[in-house]
Amino acid sequence: MTMPSPNWLADLSRNRLLAEFSMWSADLIHLAADLKRIESHADVLHIDVADGHFAPALLFFPDLVARMRKASTLPIHVHLMVADAILLDQAEQFAEAGADLISVHAENENAGEALARIKGHGLASGVVLRVETPVAAARPFLGRVDFLTLLGTAIGVKGQGLDPTATDRLREAGRYIAEAGKRIVLAADGGIRENTVPLLRGAGAETVVMGSLAFGAEDLAARMRWLHAL
């Protein structure tokens, strides 16, 4: 099994914008080839998991993550968009499949228990907020997570424009992180376009979840040089 450095989280750059590559936008027929193509460009692989209930999509499953773990040394961030009834089981299954970071939604009633399960596996953890959820809903979790991800579009739907509240929400989240007094990576997910990334970076995003902006780039190396220069 290929693994990232045990210190991958601490080793993430603080001097440039980070890039999570959303595997939802990869060529799923040629996934191994796409993993190889992005290995030197992505900071983190982002795996969306949706159950068709909490989020309208049906996305990825533990066996696929287990195979990806064998094919890449990049850290794997699993974003669970699933109902309370299966959240704990899904957290366990993706931890065993080789995830390095698992994020759950603040809207899940059992989010706290899921975070405890994730910590029990020795993994990094995160909390995610839907675009309509007040940013303050993240505050009870900040003492126990490593990532805070704010969705900038409706959950589980591709191709939407960035919600006009996204930048203000990032600034508010940044204030709460500063109050928490610990290192928490602030991530923006959804509506990631060439014209929105500078706005998100300016509002405090430390990483963006790139879909077509990365996988659809004619020159990926040039696209990443642009991103890192922001």
Short mmCIF file of all heavy atoms in Angstrom, two decimals, residues 20-24 44-51 54-61 65 75-83 87 90-91 94-95 99-108 118 124-131 147-157 187-190 209:
data_model
loop_
_atom_site.label_atom_id
_atom_site.label_comp_id
_atom_site.label_asym_id
_atom_site.label_seq_id
_atom_site.Cartn_x
_atom_site.Cartn_y
_atom_site.Cartn_z
N GLU A 20 -6.83 20.84 -3.60
CA GLU A 20 -7.41 19.51 -3.52
C GLU A 20 -8.02 19.20 -4.88
O GLU A 20 -8.76 20.02 -5.43
CB GLU A 20 -8.50 19.45 -2.44
CG GLU A 20 -8.01 19.73 -1.04
CD GLU A 20 -9.12 19.57 -0.03
OE1 GLU A 20 -9.68 18.47 0.09
OE2 GLU A 20 -9.44 20.58 0.64
N PHE A 21 -7.72 18.04 -5.40
CA PHE A 21 -8.26 17.65 -6.71
C PHE A 21 -9.47 16.74 -6.48
O PHE A 21 -9.33 15.66 -5.89
CB PHE A 21 -7.21 16.92 -7.54
CG PHE A 21 -6.25 17.82 -8.27
CD1 PHE A 21 -5.79 19.00 -7.71
CD2 PHE A 21 -5.79 17.47 -9.54
CE1 PHE A 21 -4.90 19.82 -8.39
CE2 PHE A 21 -4.90 18.28 -10.22
CZ PHE A 21 -4.45 19.45 -9.66
N SER A 22 -10.64 17.18 -6.95
CA SER A 22 -11.86 16.40 -6.79
C SER A 22 -11.92 15.28 -7.81
O SER A 22 -12.02 15.53 -9.02
CB SER A 22 -13.09 17.31 -6.96
OG SER A 22 -14.26 16.52 -6.98
N MET A 23 -11.89 14.05 -7.33
CA MET A 23 -11.88 12.91 -8.24
C MET A 23 -13.23 12.72 -8.93
O MET A 23 -13.34 11.93 -9.87
CB MET A 23 -11.47 11.65 -7.48
CG MET A 23 -10.08 11.73 -6.84
SD MET A 23 -8.80 12.36 -7.97
CE MET A 23 -8.75 11.06 -9.19
N TRP A 24 -14.24 13.44 -8.52
CA TRP A 24 -15.53 13.45 -9.22
C TRP A 24 -15.35 13.98 -10.65
O TRP A 24 -16.10 13.64 -11.56
CB TRP A 24 -16.51 14.30 -8.43
CG TRP A 24 -17.95 14.18 -8.84
CD1 TRP A 24 -18.48 13.34 -9.77
CD2 TRP A 24 -19.04 14.94 -8.31
NE1 TRP A 24 -19.84 13.52 -9.85
CE2 TRP A 24 -20.21 14.49 -8.97
CE3 TRP A 24 -19.15 15.93 -7.35
CZ2 TRP A 24 -21.47 15.03 -8.70
CZ3 TRP A 24 -20.39 16.46 -7.08
CH2 TRP A 24 -21.54 16.01 -7.74
N VAL A 44 -3.75 17.26 -2.32
CA VAL A 44 -4.64 16.31 -1.66
C VAL A 44 -5.63 15.80 -2.70
O VAL A 44 -6.07 16.55 -3.58
CB VAL A 44 -5.42 17.00 -0.50
CG1 VAL A 44 -6.43 16.05 0.14
CG2 VAL A 44 -4.46 17.55 0.56
N LEU A 45 -5.99 14.51 -2.61
CA LEU A 45 -7.08 13.96 -3.40
C LEU A 45 -8.38 14.13 -2.62
O LEU A 45 -8.45 13.77 -1.44
CB LEU A 45 -6.85 12.48 -3.69
CG LEU A 45 -5.60 12.10 -4.48
CD1 LEU A 45 -5.52 10.59 -4.65
CD2 LEU A 45 -5.56 12.81 -5.83
N HIS A 46 -9.40 14.65 -3.26
CA HIS A 46 -10.68 14.91 -2.61
C HIS A 46 -11.71 13.93 -3.14
O HIS A 46 -12.00 13.89 -4.34
CB HIS A 46 -11.12 16.35 -2.88
CG HIS A 46 -12.32 16.78 -2.10
ND1 HIS A 46 -12.22 17.47 -0.91
CD2 HIS A 46 -13.64 16.59 -2.31
CE1 HIS A 46 -13.44 17.71 -0.44
NE2 HIS A 46 -14.32 17.19 -1.27
N ILE A 47 -12.27 13.12 -2.24
CA ILE A 47 -13.24 12.09 -2.60
C ILE A 47 -14.60 12.45 -2.01
O ILE A 47 -14.79 12.41 -0.79
CB ILE A 47 -12.81 10.70 -2.07
CG1 ILE A 47 -11.35 10.40 -2.41
CG2 ILE A 47 -13.75 9.63 -2.61
CD1 ILE A 47 -11.05 10.28 -3.87
N ASP A 48 -15.53 12.79 -2.87
CA ASP A 48 -16.90 13.06 -2.42
C ASP A 48 -17.67 11.75 -2.29
O ASP A 48 -17.63 10.90 -3.18
CB ASP A 48 -17.62 13.97 -3.41
CG ASP A 48 -17.13 15.40 -3.35
OD1 ASP A 48 -17.14 15.98 -2.25
OD2 ASP A 48 -16.72 15.93 -4.40
N VAL A 49 -18.36 11.61 -1.17
CA VAL A 49 -19.18 10.42 -0.92
C VAL A 49 -20.61 10.91 -0.66
O VAL A 49 -20.84 11.70 0.26
CB VAL A 49 -18.66 9.63 0.30
CG1 VAL A 49 -19.58 8.45 0.61
CG2 VAL A 49 -17.24 9.16 0.04
N ALA A 50 -21.54 10.48 -1.50
CA ALA A 50 -22.93 10.93 -1.36
C ALA A 50 -23.86 9.73 -1.47
O ALA A 50 -23.60 8.79 -2.23
CB ALA A 50 -23.26 11.96 -2.44
N ASP A 51 -24.95 9.77 -0.70
CA ASP A 51 -25.84 8.62 -0.57
C ASP A 51 -27.17 8.76 -1.31
O ASP A 51 -28.03 7.90 -1.22
CB ASP A 51 -26.12 8.34 0.91
CG ASP A 51 -26.81 9.52 1.61
OD1 ASP A 51 -27.02 10.56 0.96
OD2 ASP A 51 -27.13 9.37 2.81
N PHE A 54 -28.83 12.58 1.76
CA PHE A 54 -28.27 13.82 2.31
C PHE A 54 -27.86 14.75 1.18
O PHE A 54 -27.97 15.97 1.28
CB PHE A 54 -27.06 13.48 3.19
CG PHE A 54 -26.50 14.63 3.96
CD1 PHE A 54 -26.96 14.92 5.23
CD2 PHE A 54 -25.51 15.44 3.42
CE1 PHE A 54 -26.45 15.99 5.96
CE2 PHE A 54 -24.99 16.52 4.13
CZ PHE A 54 -25.47 16.79 5.40
N ALA A 55 -27.33 14.16 0.11
CA ALA A 55 -26.99 14.89 -1.10
C ALA A 55 -27.59 14.14 -2.28
O ALA A 55 -27.72 12.91 -2.22
CB ALA A 55 -25.47 15.00 -1.25
N PRO A 56 -27.95 14.84 -3.35
CA PRO A 56 -28.67 14.17 -4.42
C PRO A 56 -27.85 13.21 -5.26
O PRO A 56 -28.41 12.35 -5.94
CB PRO A 56 -29.18 15.34 -5.29
CG PRO A 56 -28.24 16.47 -4.98
CD PRO A 56 -27.86 16.29 -3.55
N ALA A 57 -26.54 13.34 -5.24
CA ALA A 57 -25.70 12.47 -6.06
C ALA A 57 -25.51 11.10 -5.39
O ALA A 57 -25.85 10.90 -4.22
CB ALA A 57 -24.35 13.13 -6.28
N LEU A 58 -24.96 10.17 -6.16
CA LEU A 58 -24.49 8.88 -5.63
C LEU A 58 -23.01 8.78 -5.95
O LEU A 58 -22.62 8.63 -7.11
CB LEU A 58 -25.26 7.72 -6.27
CG LEU A 58 -26.68 7.49 -5.75
CD1 LEU A 58 -27.41 6.47 -6.62
CD2 LEU A 58 -26.65 7.00 -4.30
N LEU A 59 -22.18 8.90 -4.94
CA LEU A 59 -20.74 8.99 -5.13
C LEU A 59 -20.02 8.20 -4.05
O LEU A 59 -20.57 7.99 -3.00
CB LEU A 59 -20.28 10.45 -5.08
CG LEU A 59 -20.78 11.37 -6.18
CD1 LEU A 59 -20.52 12.82 -5.79
CD2 LEU A 59 -20.08 11.04 -7.48
N PHE A 60 -18.76 8.21 -4.07
CA PHE A 60 -17.86 7.10 -4.26
C PHE A 60 -17.97 6.08 -3.14
O PHE A 60 -18.67 6.32 -2.16
CB PHE A 60 -16.43 7.63 -4.35
CG PHE A 60 -16.15 8.39 -5.62
CD1 PHE A 60 -16.01 9.77 -5.61
CD2 PHE A 60 -16.03 7.73 -6.82
CE1 PHE A 60 -15.74 10.48 -6.77
CE2 PHE A 60 -15.75 8.43 -7.99
CZ PHE A 60 -15.61 9.81 -7.96
N PHE A 61 -17.27 4.98 -3.22
CA PHE A 61 -17.44 3.88 -2.28
C PHE A 61 -16.08 3.42 -1.74
O PHE A 61 -15.04 3.69 -2.35
CB PHE A 61 -18.21 2.72 -2.92
CG PHE A 61 -17.66 2.27 -4.24
CD1 PHE A 61 -16.80 1.20 -4.31
CD2 PHE A 61 -18.04 2.90 -5.42
CE1 PHE A 61 -16.29 0.77 -5.53
CE2 PHE A 61 -17.55 2.49 -6.65
CZ PHE A 61 -16.67 1.42 -6.71
N VAL A 65 -11.73 3.75 -2.97
CA VAL A 65 -10.70 4.46 -2.22
C VAL A 65 -9.54 3.53 -1.87
O VAL A 65 -8.37 3.91 -1.94
CB VAL A 65 -11.29 5.10 -0.96
CG1 VAL A 65 -10.21 5.60 -0.01
CG2 VAL A 65 -12.20 6.26 -1.35
N PRO A 75 -2.22 12.42 -0.02
CA PRO A 75 -3.22 12.27 1.04
C PRO A 75 -4.63 12.21 0.44
O PRO A 75 -4.92 12.90 -0.54
CB PRO A 75 -3.05 13.55 1.89
CG PRO A 75 -1.70 14.08 1.52
CD PRO A 75 -1.45 13.68 0.11
N ILE A 76 -5.47 11.40 1.03
CA ILE A 76 -6.85 11.23 0.57
C ILE A 76 -7.81 11.85 1.58
O ILE A 76 -7.84 11.45 2.74
CB ILE A 76 -7.17 9.74 0.36
CG1 ILE A 76 -6.34 9.17 -0.80
CG2 ILE A 76 -8.67 9.56 0.08
CD1 ILE A 76 -6.54 7.68 -1.01
N HIS A 77 -8.59 12.81 1.11
CA HIS A 77 -9.59 13.49 1.92
C HIS A 77 -10.96 13.00 1.49
O HIS A 77 -11.40 13.26 0.37
CB HIS A 77 -9.49 15.00 1.73
CG HIS A 77 -10.48 15.80 2.51
ND1 HIS A 77 -10.63 17.17 2.36
CD2 HIS A 77 -11.40 15.45 3.45
CE1 HIS A 77 -11.57 17.61 3.16
NE2 HIS A 77 -12.07 16.58 3.84
N VAL A 78 -11.64 12.28 2.36
CA VAL A 78 -12.98 11.78 2.09
C VAL A 78 -14.00 12.74 2.71
O VAL A 78 -13.97 13.00 3.91
CB VAL A 78 -13.17 10.35 2.65
CG1 VAL A 78 -14.64 9.94 2.58
CG2 VAL A 78 -12.31 9.36 1.87
N HIS A 79 -14.89 13.25 1.88
CA HIS A 79 -15.95 14.18 2.30
C HIS A 79 -17.26 13.42 2.32
O HIS A 79 -17.82 13.09 1.28
CB HIS A 79 -15.98 15.35 1.31
CG HIS A 79 -17.16 16.26 1.46
ND1 HIS A 79 -17.56 17.14 0.47
CD2 HIS A 79 -18.04 16.46 2.49
CE1 HIS A 79 -18.61 17.81 0.86
NE2 HIS A 79 -18.93 17.42 2.08
N LEU A 80 -17.74 13.12 3.53
CA LEU A 80 -18.96 12.32 3.69
C LEU A 80 -20.20 13.22 3.63
O LEU A 80 -20.39 14.08 4.49
CB LEU A 80 -18.92 11.57 5.02
CG LEU A 80 -17.87 10.47 5.15
CD1 LEU A 80 -17.95 9.82 6.52
CD2 LEU A 80 -18.01 9.41 4.06
N MET A 81 -21.02 12.99 2.62
CA MET A 81 -22.30 13.68 2.47
C MET A 81 -23.39 12.62 2.57
O MET A 81 -24.01 12.23 1.58
CB MET A 81 -22.37 14.39 1.12
CG MET A 81 -21.31 15.44 0.93
SD MET A 81 -21.40 16.30 -0.68
CE MET A 81 -20.70 15.04 -1.75
N VAL A 82 -23.58 12.11 3.79
CA VAL A 82 -24.47 10.97 3.99
C VAL A 82 -25.38 11.20 5.20
O VAL A 82 -25.06 11.99 6.09
CB VAL A 82 -23.67 9.65 4.17
CG1 VAL A 82 -22.80 9.38 2.95
CG2 VAL A 82 -22.82 9.69 5.43
N ALA A 83 -26.49 10.48 5.23
CA ALA A 83 -27.48 10.61 6.29
C ALA A 83 -26.95 10.06 7.61
O ALA A 83 -26.05 9.20 7.64
CB ALA A 83 -28.76 9.88 5.90
N LEU A 87 -23.82 7.34 8.71
CA LEU A 87 -22.61 8.14 8.85
C LEU A 87 -21.50 7.39 9.59
O LEU A 87 -20.35 7.37 9.15
CB LEU A 87 -22.92 9.46 9.56
CG LEU A 87 -21.71 10.37 9.81
CD1 LEU A 87 -21.09 10.83 8.50
CD2 LEU A 87 -22.13 11.58 10.66
N GLN A 90 -20.05 4.57 7.54
CA GLN A 90 -19.26 5.08 6.43
C GLN A 90 -17.91 5.62 6.92
O GLN A 90 -16.88 5.42 6.27
CB GLN A 90 -20.03 6.18 5.71
CG GLN A 90 -21.22 5.67 4.92
CD GLN A 90 -20.80 4.96 3.66
OE1 GLN A 90 -20.46 5.59 2.66
NE2 GLN A 90 -20.83 3.65 3.69
N ALA A 91 -17.90 6.30 8.05
CA ALA A 91 -16.63 6.78 8.60
C ALA A 91 -15.68 5.62 8.88
O ALA A 91 -14.49 5.68 8.55
CB ALA A 91 -16.89 7.59 9.87
N PHE A 94 -14.45 4.00 5.39
CA PHE A 94 -13.46 4.78 4.64
C PHE A 94 -12.15 4.92 5.42
O PHE A 94 -11.08 5.02 4.81
CB PHE A 94 -14.04 6.14 4.26
CG PHE A 94 -14.93 6.08 3.06
CD1 PHE A 94 -16.31 6.03 3.20
CD2 PHE A 94 -14.40 6.02 1.79
CE1 PHE A 94 -17.14 5.94 2.10
CE2 PHE A 94 -15.22 5.94 0.67
CZ PHE A 94 -16.59 5.88 0.82
N ALA A 95 -12.21 4.91 6.73
CA ALA A 95 -10.98 4.88 7.52
C ALA A 95 -10.20 3.60 7.22
O ALA A 95 -8.98 3.63 6.99
CB ALA A 95 -11.30 4.97 9.01
N ALA A 99 -8.30 6.21 3.90
CA ALA A 99 -8.39 7.68 3.95
C ALA A 99 -7.41 8.24 4.97
O ALA A 99 -7.11 7.60 5.99
CB ALA A 99 -9.81 8.10 4.30
N ASP A 100 -6.90 9.43 4.70
CA ASP A 100 -6.01 10.12 5.63
C ASP A 100 -6.75 11.21 6.40
O ASP A 100 -6.33 11.59 7.50
CB ASP A 100 -4.85 10.75 4.86
CG ASP A 100 -4.07 9.72 4.08
OD1 ASP A 100 -3.36 8.93 4.71
OD2 ASP A 100 -4.21 9.69 2.84
N LEU A 101 -7.80 11.71 5.82
CA LEU A 101 -8.62 12.79 6.39
C LEU A 101 -10.07 12.50 6.03
O LEU A 101 -10.37 12.20 4.87
CB LEU A 101 -8.18 14.14 5.80
CG LEU A 101 -9.11 15.34 5.91
CD1 LEU A 101 -9.28 15.77 7.36
CD2 LEU A 101 -8.56 16.51 5.08
N ILE A 102 -10.95 12.53 7.01
CA ILE A 102 -12.37 12.34 6.76
C ILE A 102 -13.12 13.53 7.34
O ILE A 102 -12.94 13.88 8.50
CB ILE A 102 -12.90 11.03 7.37
CG1 ILE A 102 -12.16 9.82 6.78
CG2 ILE A 102 -14.41 10.89 7.13
CD1 ILE A 102 -12.59 8.48 7.38
N SER A 103 -13.94 14.15 6.50
CA SER A 103 -14.76 15.28 6.94
C SER A 103 -16.23 14.88 6.97
O SER A 103 -16.71 14.16 6.08
CB SER A 103 -14.58 16.47 5.99
OG SER A 103 -13.32 17.08 6.18
N VAL A 104 -16.92 15.38 7.98
CA VAL A 104 -18.35 15.13 8.13
C VAL A 104 -19.07 16.47 8.18
O VAL A 104 -18.45 17.51 8.41
CB VAL A 104 -18.65 14.30 9.39
CG1 VAL A 104 -17.92 12.98 9.36
CG2 VAL A 104 -18.28 15.08 10.66
N HIS A 105 -20.38 16.43 7.99
CA HIS A 105 -21.14 17.67 7.97
C HIS A 105 -21.61 18.06 9.35
O HIS A 105 -22.07 17.22 10.14
CB HIS A 105 -22.33 17.53 7.02
CG HIS A 105 -22.00 17.95 5.63
ND1 HIS A 105 -22.27 19.21 5.16
CD2 HIS A 105 -21.35 17.30 4.63
CE1 HIS A 105 -21.84 19.31 3.91
NE2 HIS A 105 -21.27 18.16 3.57
N ALA A 106 -21.52 19.36 9.62
CA ALA A 106 -22.03 19.89 10.89
C ALA A 106 -23.53 19.65 11.01
O ALA A 106 -24.07 19.60 12.12
CB ALA A 106 -21.74 21.38 11.00
N GLU A 107 -24.21 19.49 9.88
CA GLU A 107 -25.65 19.27 9.89
C GLU A 107 -26.04 17.87 10.36
O GLU A 107 -27.20 17.64 10.70
CB GLU A 107 -26.25 19.53 8.50
CG GLU A 107 -26.05 20.95 7.99
CD GLU A 107 -24.73 21.15 7.28
OE1 GLU A 107 -23.98 20.15 7.09
OE2 GLU A 107 -24.41 22.29 6.92
N ASN A 108 -25.11 16.92 10.34
CA ASN A 108 -25.39 15.59 10.86
C ASN A 108 -25.55 15.64 12.38
O ASN A 108 -24.68 16.18 13.09
CB ASN A 108 -24.25 14.62 10.52
CG ASN A 108 -24.25 14.18 9.07
OD1 ASN A 108 -23.32 14.48 8.34
ND2 ASN A 108 -25.28 13.45 8.66
N ILE A 118 -13.39 8.77 13.85
CA ILE A 118 -12.28 9.09 12.96
C ILE A 118 -10.99 9.27 13.75
O ILE A 118 -9.93 8.74 13.38
CB ILE A 118 -12.62 10.36 12.15
CG1 ILE A 118 -13.80 10.09 11.21
CG2 ILE A 118 -11.41 10.86 11.36
CD1 ILE A 118 -14.48 11.35 10.71
N ALA A 124 -6.73 12.41 10.51
CA ALA A 124 -7.14 13.81 10.57
C ALA A 124 -8.64 13.88 10.30
O ALA A 124 -9.23 12.99 9.67
CB ALA A 124 -6.37 14.62 9.54
N SER A 125 -9.27 14.94 10.79
CA SER A 125 -10.72 15.06 10.63
C SER A 125 -11.08 16.48 10.22
O SER A 125 -10.31 17.42 10.40
CB SER A 125 -11.44 14.68 11.92
OG SER A 125 -11.14 15.60 12.95
N GLY A 126 -12.28 16.60 9.68
CA GLY A 126 -12.75 17.91 9.27
C GLY A 126 -14.25 18.02 9.42
O GLY A 126 -14.96 17.02 9.60
N VAL A 127 -14.73 19.25 9.35
CA VAL A 127 -16.16 19.51 9.38
C VAL A 127 -16.50 20.39 8.18
O VAL A 127 -15.70 21.23 7.77
CB VAL A 127 -16.59 20.18 10.71
CG1 VAL A 127 -16.03 21.57 10.86
CG2 VAL A 127 -18.11 20.20 10.84
N VAL A 128 -17.67 20.12 7.59
CA VAL A 128 -18.11 20.81 6.38
C VAL A 128 -19.45 21.47 6.66
O VAL A 128 -20.29 20.93 7.40
CB VAL A 128 -18.27 19.82 5.20
CG1 VAL A 128 -18.57 20.57 3.90
CG2 VAL A 128 -17.03 18.96 5.04
N LEU A 129 -19.67 22.64 6.05
CA LEU A 129 -20.94 23.34 6.16
C LEU A 129 -21.57 23.50 4.79
O LEU A 129 -20.91 23.93 3.84
CB LEU A 129 -20.74 24.74 6.77
CG LEU A 129 -20.22 24.83 8.20
CD1 LEU A 129 -20.13 26.28 8.60
CD2 LEU A 129 -21.09 24.07 9.16
N ARG A 130 -22.87 23.17 4.71
CA ARG A 130 -23.63 23.49 3.51
C ARG A 130 -23.69 25.01 3.37
O ARG A 130 -23.55 25.76 4.35
CB ARG A 130 -25.03 22.90 3.61
CG ARG A 130 -25.03 21.39 3.70
CD ARG A 130 -26.40 20.85 4.06
NE ARG A 130 -27.30 20.89 2.92
CZ ARG A 130 -27.97 19.82 2.47
NH1 ARG A 130 -27.85 18.64 3.06
NH2 ARG A 130 -28.77 19.94 1.42
N VAL A 131 -23.94 25.49 2.17
CA VAL A 131 -23.92 26.92 1.91
C VAL A 131 -25.01 27.66 2.67
O VAL A 131 -24.86 28.84 3.01
CB VAL A 131 -24.00 27.19 0.38
CG1 VAL A 131 -25.37 26.83 -0.18
CG2 VAL A 131 -23.64 28.64 0.06
N PHE A 147 -9.52 20.42 9.45
CA PHE A 147 -10.00 21.12 8.25
C PHE A 147 -11.39 21.66 8.52
O PHE A 147 -12.21 21.00 9.18
CB PHE A 147 -10.10 20.16 7.05
CG PHE A 147 -8.90 20.12 6.14
CD1 PHE A 147 -7.64 19.76 6.64
CD2 PHE A 147 -9.02 20.40 4.80
CE1 PHE A 147 -6.54 19.70 5.82
CE2 PHE A 147 -7.92 20.34 3.96
CZ PHE A 147 -6.68 19.99 4.46
N LEU A 148 -11.66 22.84 7.99
CA LEU A 148 -13.01 23.39 7.93
C LEU A 148 -13.29 23.73 6.49
O LEU A 148 -12.59 24.55 5.88
CB LEU A 148 -13.14 24.64 8.81
CG LEU A 148 -14.45 25.43 8.67
CD1 LEU A 148 -15.66 24.57 9.01
CD2 LEU A 148 -14.41 26.68 9.55
N THR A 149 -14.31 23.09 5.92
CA THR A 149 -14.65 23.28 4.51
C THR A 149 -16.01 23.96 4.39
O THR A 149 -16.98 23.50 4.99
CB THR A 149 -14.68 21.93 3.76
OG1 THR A 149 -13.40 21.30 3.86
CG2 THR A 149 -15.02 22.14 2.30
N LEU A 150 -16.05 25.04 3.64
CA LEU A 150 -17.30 25.73 3.38
C LEU A 150 -17.72 25.49 1.93
O LEU A 150 -16.94 25.77 1.00
CB LEU A 150 -17.16 27.24 3.61
CG LEU A 150 -16.75 27.71 5.00
CD1 LEU A 150 -16.85 29.23 5.08
CD2 LEU A 150 -17.58 27.07 6.09
N LEU A 151 -18.92 24.94 1.75
CA LEU A 151 -19.44 24.78 0.41
C LEU A 151 -19.90 26.14 -0.11
O LEU A 151 -20.54 26.91 0.61
CB LEU A 151 -20.61 23.80 0.39
CG LEU A 151 -20.30 22.36 0.85
CD1 LEU A 151 -21.51 21.47 0.59
CD2 LEU A 151 -19.06 21.81 0.16
N GLY A 152 -19.59 26.40 -1.37
CA GLY A 152 -19.98 27.66 -1.98
C GLY A 152 -21.10 27.52 -2.99
O GLY A 152 -21.47 28.49 -3.66
N THR A 153 -21.65 26.30 -3.08
CA THR A 153 -22.77 25.99 -3.96
C THR A 153 -23.67 24.99 -3.25
O THR A 153 -23.29 24.43 -2.21
CB THR A 153 -22.29 25.38 -5.30
OG1 THR A 153 -21.52 24.20 -5.02
CG2 THR A 153 -21.44 26.36 -6.09
N ALA A 154 -24.84 24.74 -3.83
CA ALA A 154 -25.73 23.72 -3.27
C ALA A 154 -25.03 22.37 -3.28
O ALA A 154 -24.26 22.06 -4.19
CB ALA A 154 -27.02 23.65 -4.07
N ILE A 155 -25.30 21.56 -2.29
CA ILE A 155 -24.56 20.33 -2.08
C ILE A 155 -24.82 19.29 -3.18
O ILE A 155 -25.95 19.10 -3.62
CB ILE A 155 -24.90 19.73 -0.69
CG1 ILE A 155 -23.90 18.63 -0.31
CG2 ILE A 155 -26.33 19.24 -0.63
CD1 ILE A 155 -24.00 18.21 1.14
N GLY A 156 -23.72 18.68 -3.64
CA GLY A 156 -23.82 17.52 -4.51
C GLY A 156 -24.27 17.76 -5.93
O GLY A 156 -24.70 16.83 -6.61
N VAL A 157 -24.16 19.00 -6.42
CA VAL A 157 -24.58 19.32 -7.79
C VAL A 157 -23.43 20.03 -8.49
O VAL A 157 -22.93 21.04 -7.99
CB VAL A 157 -25.84 20.21 -7.80
CG1 VAL A 157 -26.26 20.50 -9.24
CG2 VAL A 157 -26.98 19.55 -7.03
N ALA A 187 -10.98 25.58 3.84
CA ALA A 187 -11.14 25.13 2.46
C ALA A 187 -12.41 25.68 1.84
O ALA A 187 -13.44 25.81 2.51
CB ALA A 187 -11.18 23.60 2.41
N ALA A 188 -12.34 25.98 0.54
CA ALA A 188 -13.50 26.39 -0.25
C ALA A 188 -13.80 25.29 -1.26
O ALA A 188 -12.91 24.84 -1.99
CB ALA A 188 -13.23 27.70 -0.97
N ASP A 189 -15.06 24.88 -1.31
CA ASP A 189 -15.48 23.78 -2.18
C ASP A 189 -16.76 24.18 -2.90
O ASP A 189 -17.76 24.50 -2.27
CB ASP A 189 -15.71 22.52 -1.33
CG ASP A 189 -16.04 21.29 -2.15
OD1 ASP A 189 -16.13 21.39 -3.37
OD2 ASP A 189 -16.23 20.22 -1.53
N GLY A 190 -16.71 24.16 -4.23
CA GLY A 190 -17.89 24.49 -5.03
C GLY A 190 -17.76 25.85 -5.68
O GLY A 190 -17.31 26.81 -5.05
N VAL A 209 -11.07 23.20 -3.67
CA VAL A 209 -11.35 21.87 -4.24
C VAL A 209 -11.59 22.05 -5.72
O VAL A 209 -12.63 22.55 -6.15
CB VAL A 209 -12.56 21.22 -3.54
CG1 VAL A 209 -12.82 19.84 -4.15
CG2 VAL A 209 -12.30 21.10 -2.04
#
